[in-house]
Amino acid sequence: MRTVRRMLMTAALAGAGLLGVAGPAVADTATPSPSASTEAAPTEAGTSFRTATAIKSGQPATADASTGDYLYWVLPVDAGQRATVKATVTLPTAARHGAATWQLDVYDGLRRRQPCKYGAPTKAAAQDAGSVELTCTLRTVRAWAEPWANDPLPGSYYVRLTVVDLPQEDLGLPVHAKVEAGTADQGGSQAVDGTLAAPLMPGAGTATPQSDGATPSPRPAAMAEPDGGWSSGWWSDRWLWTAAGGLLAALGGIAGYSVTRGSGRPSRVPPGA
């Protein structure tokens, strides 16, 4: 029995060690990217999908605009990550004529609007409000999905900020917008089999000059990869959970065999039997 206890103790310690390694991978808090904090934050926004300003995870971006403008930013989100976008709009101090409703939308690389799992992407600001804050937490990005599904896939994610309802007299008033997007790694519990051949990043590049000297046609800003590059699609901490389960099953089988096989000594047979 002492041997059995020792085996069970070893199994418990081994399982706890492996699960402890896997634990940090499922943290649900978005942490700013170290490289993003060392770069200059963008101070303008695009006015369409094709001219969206590229940002990185954890990198704040600001823009001065007029009420009624459409403001666009774009960032990379990889498989297994959950993105949270926050926007703060500082409203003009000049007297406004009524309340205004602002909206934050997020689109994937196929320009499909993605629903927010958490947050308040639409909010009304009172006539005398100095600012309005919006937030949107997307579903976890999947490495692969069925063609008919609307699951979020790795690649470009476009953030659009605009006002959707206000008095006509308030159109054109100056506003200041601040947007920041963070990503949190959800770990192997969200992993799926399969992966895309390439992330959804349509038309990444810069403005292309025309041969006749005309104004260059706008194209999206060059997209940066996530820290560490795009996911290979096969590794996740599910491997650690699988290994821990296999080890515990093997040790449990050995312990069970040791208990059921008895002492191993032949039973005594009464004389004359």
Side-chain angles (χ1 to χ4, degrees):
M1 294 301 294
R2 185 175 301 173
T3 303
V4 174
R5 293 195 192 97
R6 188 179 298 114
M7 289 180 177
L8 293 177
M9 183 66 70
T10 303
L13 292 176
L18 287 173
L19 298 181
V21 173
V26 297
D28 195 24
T29 55
T31 55
S33 168
S35 60
S37 61
T38 60
E39 299 180 4
T43 56
E44 60 181 14
T47 55
S48 68
F49 285 103
R50 296 184 61 81
T51 60
T53 298
I55 59 175
K56 292 183 178 181
S57 174
Q59 182 182 47
T62 58
D64 291 315
S66 299
T67 304
D69 288 345
Y70 285 86
L71 306 180
Y72 287 82
W73 295 267
V74 59
L75 74 152
V77 184
D78 203 2
Q81 294 181 339
R82 177 182 292 172
T84 298
V85 182
K86 298 179 181 180
T88 302
V89 183
T90 303
L91 302 173
T93 55
R96 302 193 299 274
H97 297 82
T101 302
W102 288 81
Q103 184 165 303
L104 181 68
D105 297 311
V106 183
Y107 299 81
D108 65 9
L110 296 178
R111 300 186 185 179
R112 303 175 301 180
R113 184 177 180 272
Q114 291 295 324
C116 301
K117 189 172 183 178
Y118 308 111
T122 303
K123 190 175 292 186
Q127 181 176 353
D128 58 348
S131 64
V132 59
E133 296 183 357
L134 309 170
T135 180
C136 174
T137 298
L138 300 178
R139 296 171 296 168
T140 302
V141 173
R142 293 166 57 89
W144 177 83
E146 295 290 345
W148 47 263
N150 192 38
D151 295 325
L153 297 171
S156 304
Y157 277 76
Y158 296 89
V159 178
R160 184 178 75 179
L161 177 65
T162 189
V163 64
V164 294
D165 184 32
L166 81 166
Q168 284 291 118
E169 297 83 357
D170 291 343
L171 282 173
L173 292 178
V175 293
H176 179 78
K178 179 181 178 181
V179 169
E180 184 172 356
T183 54
D185 202 353
Q186 297 304 295
S189 61
Q190 300 291 331
V192 297
D193 295 329
T195 181
L196 296 180
L200 301 177
M201 299 170 59
T206 55
T208 304
Q210 305 296 318
S211 57
D212 56 0
T215 302
S217 58
R219 298 183 61 189
M223 276 285 298
E225 293 185 351
D227 290 338
W230 295 101
S231 173
S232 61
W234 69 271
W235 167 257
S236 72
D237 59 9
R238 287 196 304 173
W239 291 98
L240 299 177
W241 290 88
T242 302
L247 178 60
L248 290 175
L251 293 176
I254 295 173
Y257 175 75
S258 301
V259 172
T260 58
R261 73 185 181 119
S263 62
R265 298 176 181 176
S267 58
R268 293 183 177 182
V269 180

